[in-house]
Amino acid sequence: MKDILTAPFMVEMIRTTTNMYDHGWDERNGGNVSLMLDEAQVAEYLDIKDVLRTIPTGFIAPELEGKYFLVTGTGKYFKNIQYAPDVNLGIVRLVDKGEQAELLWGYADGGKFTSEFPAHMMSHVARLKVNTENRVVMHCHPANLLAMTYVHTLDEKEFTRTLWQMCTECIVVFPDGVNVLPWMLCGTNEIGEATAEKMRTARLVVWSQHGIYGAGKDLDETFGLIETAEKGAEIYMKIAHLPLVNTITDEQMHQLEKRFDVKAREGYLS
C-alpha cells in the first residue's frame, strides 16, 4: 500500500485546514471539513476490508450507503492537523443506511468525527441532488460574515445583494447567492436538516452569530466561495457606518452575468 499521507486528497486537506486556521476562520477547535472520496482513491492507500472500529452516526442517510469520507475530528484544533493528521483526521465508510461509520484510518487517540457530522452528511445529500460532482462540505467562523449577522437584516435576498455590491467578484463566484439561518443550537440534527434544506438552492449557508457552511466540487472551490463571501463582508463592515456614495448597480451586475457566463439567482436583480 502507498503511504496515506502522500495521497493528493490528504495533502490538500492538510493544506486547506492549515490555511483556514491561518485565516483566523477556525479558532481553537472551531470548524470542520468533510471530503467525499471514491473507493478507488481510498483503496490505493488502505485495506478497505480492515475496519478499525465502528462509530454510530446518530442519523440515517441511505443515499450515502457505502460512501467514504475524510473528516476532521471532534474537539480537534486545525492548527495541529499538519503535525498529527492521524489524530486529527479520519477516513470513514458509511454503512447500515448511514447509521454507522466504519473507521478505516485516523482518530488514533480514540476520537471520532466532528459533532457536526450529521449536518455535513445531510448537506452532502442535498448538494449531490443538485450537482453530482459535489464532494466537499466546509464549516468555519469567518469574523466579518459573523459580525454582519449582528448588524444586517437576515433576509437572504438583501444579505446576498449587499455582498454582491461589495466586490465585483462576488456575483461571479456565487451567483446562486447566500442563504441564511437564524441562530440555532449547533451539533443537532435539527440544524443539520435546516442547513441541508438551504443547501438545495445555494452553496453558501450562513449560520447567524456563528459562521458559515460552504459546499463545492473540491476543497479549492469551497474555500474560494467562503473566502470571497468573507471579503465582501469585510468591506461591508468597514463602510456600513459611512455614507454610501457609489455602488455596483444591478445594470452593472447584469453586465458581469454576460461577461462571465453566470446567471444571478432568479428575482435577486431588477
Side-chain angles (χ1 to χ4, degrees):
M1 291 289 177
K2 300 178 183 177
D3 181 359
I4 186 70
L5 296 182
T6 66
F9 58 81
M10 184 68 69
V11 171
E12 190 58 31
M13 175 67 97
I14 294 170
R15 286 175 177 169
T16 299
T17 51
T18 301
N19 202 9
M20 291 171 72
Y21 179 80
D22 289 343
H23 270 60
W25 296 355
D26 298 274
E27 72 292 336
R28 199 172 182 272
N29 62 320
N32 24 79
V33 182
S34 60
L35 170 64
M36 188 167 74
L37 304 170
D38 295 329
E39 184 175 286
Q41 287 178 289
V42 179
E44 284 189 55
Y45 301 91
L46 299 174
D47 179 356
I48 60 175
K49 295 180 181 179
D50 183 13
V51 177
L52 303 179
R53 52 192 167 96
T54 301
I55 308 169
T57 64
F59 64 92
I60 297 175
E63 301 93 335
L64 299 178
E65 174 81 27
K67 299 295 186 183
Y68 296 78
F69 293 91
L70 173 59
V71 193
T72 54
T74 185
K76 302 306 182 185
Y77 291 33
F78 274 26
K79 71 181 181 66
N80 294 333
I81 291 176
Q82 61 182 313
Y83 305 113
D86 63 324
V87 172
N88 296 285
L89 300 172
I91 294 177
V92 299
R93 175 175 56 214
L94 294 185
V95 296
D96 297 336
K97 297 182 179 180
E99 289 190 86
Q100 303 289 332
E102 295 179 332
L103 180 64
L104 303 178
W105 175 88
Y107 308 141
D109 62 349
K112 65 176 185 175
F113 40 71
T114 170
S115 63
E116 302 291 356
F117 193 63
H120 276 250
M121 296 302 105
M122 293 173 192
S123 290
H124 276 287
V125 170
R127 287 310 304 173
L128 285 167
K129 291 177 180 177
V130 178
N131 182 356
T132 57
E133 294 185 354
N134 191 87
R135 292 293 180 273
V136 176
V137 171
M138 182 179 291
H139 171 55
C140 55
H141 308 151
N144 292 287
L145 279 164
L146 197 160
M148 192 171 165
T149 65
Y150 285 90
V151 300
H152 192 285
T153 171
L154 300 182
D155 178 84
E156 291 171 341
K157 179 178 178 180
E158 293 305 314
F159 203 95
T160 294
R161 283 178 54 82
T162 293
L163 291 175
W164 283 351
Q165 290 168 344
M166 293 301 104
C167 185
T168 296
E169 288 80 7
C170 283
I171 194 170
V172 177
V173 174
F174 51 94
D176 47 344
V178 175
N179 284 340
V180 184
L181 284 175
W183 188 92
M184 296 179 68
L185 183 63
C186 57
T188 66
N189 284 4
E190 287 75 18
I191 198 170
E193 291 163 359
T195 304
E197 180 63 26
K198 294 291 187 182
M199 280 282 181
R200 294 174 61 185
T201 53
R203 294 166 295 158
L204 290 170
V205 179
V206 169
W207 284 8
S208 297
Q209 294 83 50
H210 185 140
I212 193 168
Y213 258 65
K217 61 181 174 57
D218 56 38
L219 290 163
D220 265 356
E221 178 186 68
T222 314
F223 183 96
L225 278 170
I226 295 173
E227 185 177 35
T228 307
E230 170 65 358
K231 174 59 71 68
E234 179 183 5
I235 296 167
Y236 173 76
M237 293 305 297
K238 287 180 176 179
I239 68 171
H241 62 293
L242 301 172
L244 191 63
V245 178
N246 302 299
T247 190
I248 302 173
T249 66
D250 281 20
E251 180 182 352
Q252 290 167 334
M253 284 193 267
H254 283 306
Q255 292 177 26
L256 288 167
E257 285 183 295
K258 294 177 182 178
R259 173 65 180 84
F260 292 97
D261 192 27
V262 297
K263 178 61 179 173
R265 189 162 173 172
E266 190 69 31
Y268 275 37
L269 295 179
S270 60

